[in-house]
Every structure is written in C-alpha cells, then in structure tokens.
Amino acid sequence: MHRIRSLGSDMVCLKNRINRRVISKVTKSAKGEDCRLMFYEICNQNPETTVFAHYRHLRLGAGLGLKPSIWGCPACFCCHSEADGRTRKLDRDFVRATHAEASLIYLHDLLCNGQIKLS
C-alpha cells in the first residue's frame, strides 16, 4: 500500500511512488463514462465530452500547472470547466467539496472493481 508521510508542512508526493501505467489507466478510464460531478443546470450529460478532471490541491502534489496523479473523477466538458474555474457559476467551496467527494468515490470504485490495485 502506498503511504503518505507528513513531514511538517511538506508531504512525500504519492505521484513519485505510483507506477506511470496505473496513472495512465486511471485517466484513460474516464473517457466515455458518465459525468460524476453533475452540477445542476451546468452538466451537459454527454459521455462523448467526458474526460478525467484532476482534483488540484497542494497537499496532493498539485498546483498551478501541476496535476496530481490519481486524484480526480470523470467530468463532462461543462462540469470540468466549472471545477477548473474557467467558469464561475457556482460557489467555489461547493464545487471543491463536490469534486473532492466525487474523486474519492471514483477511486473507491476503481479499487473495488479491480481496475487498479495498491501494492
């Protein structure tokens, strides 16, 4: 199992410990899936526009221009734009909380379905 050690305010990056094939498998698995964010009156509900929406957080090794490894979920183009902040129709705290929850559930689903394994 991959572990994250807390080193004061710094954190050992999980990205360096996960196999690149696993990361690729996770991001490609989102293509064609239903949107997991489904923001009311924003979601276009079109699986053809669905891509992997990375959840960005500094503690996860992501920031401006940097993407975390496996943290994220499938999102349609419209919901992905809202999550990334290109559109700002919804409250930012609501968007971040929804994205974090959808990302956690998606990762859990991948683990339970055997699509990815932690060793």
Side-chain angles (χ1 to χ4, degrees), residues 36-72:
R36 296 281 184 118
L37 295 178
M38 296 182 291
F39 294 128
Y40 182 69
E41 294 185 353
I42 292 178
C43 188
N44 67 20
Q45 298 177 350
N46 184 357
E48 293 176 8
T49 66
T50 302
V51 294
F52 190 76
H54 292 90
Y55 181 76
R56 288 178 168 79
H57 194 283
L58 289 174
R59 297 290 300 251
L60 298 174
L64 193 60
L66 299 172
K67 295 178 180 178
S69 53
I70 59 173
W71 300 104

Side-chain angles (χ1 to χ4, degrees), residues 35 39 42-45 49 75-83 86-87 89:
C35 179
F39 294 128
I42 292 178
C43 188
N44 67 20
Q45 298 177 350
T49 66
C76 69
F77 175 78
C78 298
C79 290
H80 191 189
S81 293
E82 186 67 29
R86 291 188 292 269
T87 59
K89 298 175 183 175

Side-chain angles (χ1 to χ4, degrees), residues 15-39:
K15 191 177 199 175
N16 297 333
R17 301 176 126 191
I18 296 178
N19 187 320
R20 301 292 295 160
R21 278 187 255 151
V22 171
I23 295 169
S24 178
K25 207 184 267 190
V26 170
T27 56
K28 287 179 183 176
S29 68
K31 198 161 191 85
E33 280 206 24
D34 291 332
C35 179
R36 296 281 184 118
L37 295 178
M38 296 182 291
F39 294 128

Side-chain angles (χ1 to χ4, degrees), residues 50 74 83 107 115:
T50 302
L107 184 58
Q115 291 177 297

Side-chain angles (χ1 to χ4, degrees), residues 9 53-54 64 74 98-99 101 117-118:
S9 63
H54 292 90
L64 193 60
T98 303
H99 195 183
E101 184 176 346
K117 295 178 184 176
L118 294 178

